């Protein structure tokens, strides 16, 4: 049973018993919790698409590791074609769910580990790659979802991990045993951690001397003893709990803080332990893959936003207004530039010694910087096109109230022939896509802060080549 259906994915999550809290209360049934279920459904779309004939060929491929059909979200890219497919699927999914589908981060971790465990073994004679391959095959055979546990809480940002007054502010090894390691720490902004079967922990930054206990990578089931998920607030979250005015009636996003309160990890699941010189490479590779993923899914989300804006023009009777059509052009241009940059990062990819293909990191980071600025601009344009009701639309409960409902529907009527109920639904969707903090803020910080994207671009761009171009043109000759 190499690939799961949507329903099989849901049932597989039911078998897990994670420790989870939200609004100060323990949640026993995560899968049916209305706040979390929207996020689970969004990840479930990656399973659903695999079952649909239209998308099956793009989503399902053969794994060279198992020889079986697998969902691409479990396969580190083995060719340029695979890199390109990642972007295409993410774009389709972004538009399909209108938010974050939350399954790319796990694949980005698997992809980074498939490169760096191999390189580490080559240098140190360790056996991380074989362990990693065993884990990868397990993920593929069971069609599992993983979350990326990368971002540490970090305490005082000016101090290295080992310099922090509280030593647990970066996740670390507290004990090495014969059978495995005990770890302690907390990872934050953990997109979809309760929609995942496995959590993949990577270091959050390059480590230096003294940080050996923090140079750690491993995988652990999401319901391991000692792992505590505390679901964070998101604007509009209580609407999901109340089951009213949700806007996106199917999908949503949530990001818990995940505490590792002394968690045991067997050696078979440990992929880095103390190799400080590879920690920067591991997080760097993860981030680059993740920034490429964003170019796909966020261009897809813009597609959904463009659709909503066009529908609002139909409902408002403004579909022929020239300045609004120009704004649609701007939104399309942003989506295509983002997509194009991410595709270019894929086409310029290269094979690494392990056989995994790595993207062109400068192009992937350029794509992410573009997203951070221009997605906010697309939201602004969508709201401009839609009108002020994005801010203060009355509740569906008012629309169904016998006293004011009829009056509201009379006065919210738009262009003739357009059902007022549809106009109201679309207004609510625009509000969700514009205001859902978990998704809109990931455009800026997801995959690292904007400064991290810029640093990578500076570090990995060939500056001397550019200087030489200019010197040749200016007639400057230096030995
Ligand atoms: C919605 C959302 C989803 C996310 N999903 C995930 C996920 O699934 N998994 C995961 O692991 N992470 C996830 N992240 C985390 C994301 O990678 C981080 O938010 C990002 O790396 C910034 O880290 P921070 O939030 O701790 O902010 P900080 O690191 O505190 O950064 C704040 C600002 O200070 C600057 N800064 C901080 N330290 C320094 C320094 N030493 N020198 C110079 N400048 C500095 C930064 O550049 C930034 O401008 C997500 C984030 C968001 C918002």
């Amino acid at each position: 049973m190499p690939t799961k259906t949507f329903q099989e994915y849901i049932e597989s999550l039911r078998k897990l018993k994670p420790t989870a809290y939200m609004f100060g209360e323990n949640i026993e049934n995560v899968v049916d919790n209305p706040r979390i279920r929207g996020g689970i459904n969004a990840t479930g779309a990656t399973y659903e698409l695999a079952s649909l004939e239209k998308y099956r060929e793009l989503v399902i491929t053969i794994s060279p590791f198992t020889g079986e059909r697998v969902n691409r979200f479990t396969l580190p890219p083995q060719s340029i074609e695979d890199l390109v497919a990642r972007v295409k699927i993410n774009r389709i999914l972004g538009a399909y769910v209108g938010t974050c589908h939350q399954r790319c981060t796990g694949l980005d971790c698997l992809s980074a580990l498939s490169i760096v465990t191999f390189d580490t073994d080559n240098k140190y004679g360790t056996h991380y790659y074989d362990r990693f391959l065993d884990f990868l095959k397990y993920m593929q055979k069971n069609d599992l979802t993983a979350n990326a546990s990368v971002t540490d809480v970090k305490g005082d940002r000016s101090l290295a991990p080992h310099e922090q007054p509280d030593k647990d502010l970066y996740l670390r090894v507290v004990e090495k045993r014969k059978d495995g390691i005990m770890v302690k720490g907390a990872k934050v902004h953990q997109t979809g951690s309760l929609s995942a079967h496995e959590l993949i922990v990577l270091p959050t930054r390059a480590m230096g001397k003294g940080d050996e206990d923090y140079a750690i990578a491993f995988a652990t089931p999401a319901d391991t003893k000692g792992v505590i998920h505390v679901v964070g607030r998101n604007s509009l979250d209580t609407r999901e709990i109340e089951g009213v005015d949700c806007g996106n009636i199917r999908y949503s996003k949530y990001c818990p803080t995940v505490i590792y309160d002394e968690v045991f990890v067997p050696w078979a699941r440990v992929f880095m332990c103390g190799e400080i010189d590879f920690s920067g490479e591991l997080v760097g590779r993860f981030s680059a893959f993740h920034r490429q993923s964003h170019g796909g899914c966020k261009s897809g989300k813009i597609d959904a936003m463009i659709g909503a804006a066009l529908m609002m023009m139909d409902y408002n009777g403004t579909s022929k207004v020239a300045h609004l059509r120009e704004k649609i052009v701007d939104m399309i241009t942003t989506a295509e530039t983002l997509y194009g940059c991410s595709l270019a990062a894929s086409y310029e990819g290269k094979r690494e010694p392990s056989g995994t293909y790595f993207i062109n990191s400068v192009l992937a980071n350029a794509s992410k910087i573009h997203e951070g600025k221009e997605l906010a601009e697309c939201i602004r344009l969508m709201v401009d096109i839609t009108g002020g009701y994005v801010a203060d639309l009355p509740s569906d409960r008012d629309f169904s109230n016998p006293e004011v409902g009829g009056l509201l529907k009379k006065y919210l009527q738009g262009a003739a022939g357009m059902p007022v109920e549809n106009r109201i639904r679309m207004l609510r969707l625009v509000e969700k896509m514009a205001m859902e903090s978990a998704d809109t803020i990931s455009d800026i910080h997801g995959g690292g802060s904007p400064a991290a994207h810029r640093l990578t671009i500076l570090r990995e761009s060939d500056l001397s080549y550019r200087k030489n171009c200019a010197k040749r043109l200016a007639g400057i000759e230096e030995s």
Side-chain angles (χ1 to χ4, degrees):
M1 200 251 331
T3 59
K4 283 186 166 55
T5 62
F6 172 83
Q7 209 47 47
E8 286 166 345
Y9 160 65
I10 299 292
E11 294 315 314
S12 68
L13 288 183
R14 284 192 198 287
K15 293 188 185 132
L16 298 177
K17 299 285 168 234
T19 305
Y21 288 85
M22 188 167 60
F23 295 116
E25 282 173 19
N26 180 248
I27 316 165
E28 296 230 333
N29 179 353
V30 161
V31 175
D32 296 315
N33 183 290
R35 167 74 191 106
I36 300 169
R37 184 55 187 257
I40 290 176
N41 285 344
T43 302
T46 67
Y47 293 89
E48 197 185 331
L49 255 56
S51 313
L52 299 179
E53 206 183 326
K54 189 171 169 197
Y55 300 114
R56 196 177 299 141
E57 234 176 82
L58 190 60
V59 184
I60 301 287
T61 185
I62 304 289
S63 162
F65 303 103
T66 62
E68 290 174 349
R69 285 155 53 84
V70 293
N71 189 305
R72 277 191 185 277
F73 281 100
T74 63
L75 179 68
Q78 300 298 302
S79 61
I80 295 287
E81 205 180 33
D82 283 350
L83 286 172
V84 171
R86 279 164 53 93
V87 182
K88 292 192 171 182
I89 295 166
N90 276 325
R91 183 163 189 179
I92 291 163
L93 277 163
Y96 194 72
V97 299
T99 177
C100 162
H101 68 73
Q102 303 155 50
R103 199 178 177 191
C104 66
T105 57
L107 172 58
D108 298 332
C109 288
L110 292 174
S111 304
L113 281 167
S114 73
I115 295 172
V116 179
T117 50
F118 189 90
D119 292 350
T120 312
D121 287 356
N122 263 352
K123 181 165 176 189
Y124 289 114
T126 42
H127 300 286
Y128 294 125
Y129 186 64
D130 286 345
R131 287 179 193 169
F132 166 74
L133 283 186
D134 285 345
F135 174 66
L136 181 69
K137 286 181 205 161
Y138 167 74
M139 293 290 293
Q140 293 187 338
K141 280 181 185 292
N142 296 285
D143 197 4
L144 300 181
T145 288
N147 144 275
S149 262
V150 181
T151 308
D152 285 290
V153 285
K154 301 193 292 268
D156 182 337
R157 272 72 173 148
S158 67
L159 300 177
H162 74 278
E163 293 169 342
Q164 301 283 338
D166 182 332
K167 300 293 172 217
D168 302 331
L169 295 182
Y170 286 77
L171 190 138
R172 66 177 176 133
V173 180
V174 287
E175 191 190 341
K176 279 187 193 161
R177 296 186 190 166
K178 229 170 143 192
D179 51 349
I181 54 175
M182 290 296 286
V183 299
K184 202 172 173 193
K187 298 282 186 175
V188 281
H189 320 299
Q190 294 300 292
T191 303
S193 64
L194 291 162
S195 314
H197 308 90
E198 294 280 336
L199 311 180
I200 301 180
V201 171
L202 306 184
T204 203
R205 52 172 278 176
M207 301 292 171
K209 212 167 155 24
D211 292 332
E212 287 75 7
D213 289 342
Y214 300 90
I216 174 84
F218 61 86
T220 194
D223 62 347
T224 307
K225 185 167 174 275
V227 172
I228 306 166
H229 308 248
V230 186
V231 180
R233 296 300 310 254
N234 177 29
S235 52
L236 313 180
D237 54 7
T238 46
R239 298 189 189 182
E240 283 159 7
I241 307 233
E242 292 166 10
V244 70
D245 305 331
C246 293
N248 184 332
I249 60 159
R250 299 171 194 274
Y251 307 110
S252 192
K253 179 174 181 178
Y254 66 91
C255 304
T257 291
V258 178
I259 300 164
Y260 291 74
D261 192 23
E262 304 218 341
V263 172
F264 175 73
V265 186
W267 283 114
R269 289 292 199 93
V270 177
F271 311 127
M272 170 178 282
C273 191
E275 292 80 7
I276 46 174
D277 48 337
F278 282 98
S279 60
E281 191 188 335
L282 189 49
V283 66
R285 300 265 189 185
F286 161 78
S287 309
F289 273 124
H290 194 46
R291 291 161 196 170
Q292 177 227 23
S293 296
H294 264 243
C297 69
K298 298 304 179 185
S299 53
K301 181 171 173 192
I302 300 173
D303 288 336
M305 288 163 52
I306 293 167
L310 285 167
M311 290 307 300
M312 283 312 306
M313 287 163 67
D314 289 347
Y315 294 137
N316 290 350
T318 54
S319 53
K320 295 206 168 68
V321 172
H323 77 90
L324 297 185
R325 291 168 71 88
E326 283 303 314
K327 284 164 185 163
I328 294 288
V329 173
D330 288 344
M331 292 174 78
I332 294 172
T333 307
T334 296
E336 299 304 338
T337 313
L338 196 52
Y339 182 58
C341 211
S342 225
L343 281 180
S346 312
Y347 284 113
E348 295 274 302
K350 298 236 157 50
R351 189 179 187 277
E352 293 294 322
S354 70
T356 295
Y357 272 67
F358 185 57
I359 33 106
N360 177 308
S361 163
V362 174
L363 281 164
N365 277 277
S367 160
K368 187 67 183 58
I369 288 183
H370 182 66
E371 174 200 329
K373 290 180 181 163
E374 298 302 326
L375 223 142
E377 175 64 2
C378 279
I379 290 173
R380 189 184 74 77
L381 294 173
M382 174 178 69
V383 171
D384 176 353
I385 291 166
T386 302
Y389 256 138
V390 185
D392 50 19
L393 186 69
S395 167
D396 281 356
R397 288 187 181 147
D398 292 311
F399 288 112
S400 41
N401 177 296
E403 271 125 59
V404 288
L407 284 170
L408 283 172
K409 286 182 190 163
K410 166 183 161 68
Y411 288 112
L412 263 87
Q413 185 63 55
M418 297 287 173
V420 65
E421 290 79 9
N422 292 356
R423 182 167 185 256
I424 292 164
R425 278 173 181 270
M426 197 55 71
L427 281 165
R428 192 67 79 198
L429 176 66
V430 171
E431 181 192 24
K432 170 78 170 175
M433 289 197 287
M435 307 291 183
E436 180 186 30
S437 59
D439 201 35
T440 52
I441 292 175
S442 85
D443 304 336
I444 301 168
H445 273 299
S449 70
H453 313 147
R454 304 180 81 82
L455 272 178
T456 313
I457 288 178
L458 200 58
R459 192 178 58 231
E460 293 184 16
S461 293
D462 188 346
L463 300 183
S464 54
Y465 159 74
R466 289 166 166 97
K467 278 184 179 175
N468 288 336
C469 290
K471 283 198 296 192
R472 181 177 155 270
L473 294 174
I476 297 170
E477 282 178 25
E478 285 169 349
S479 58

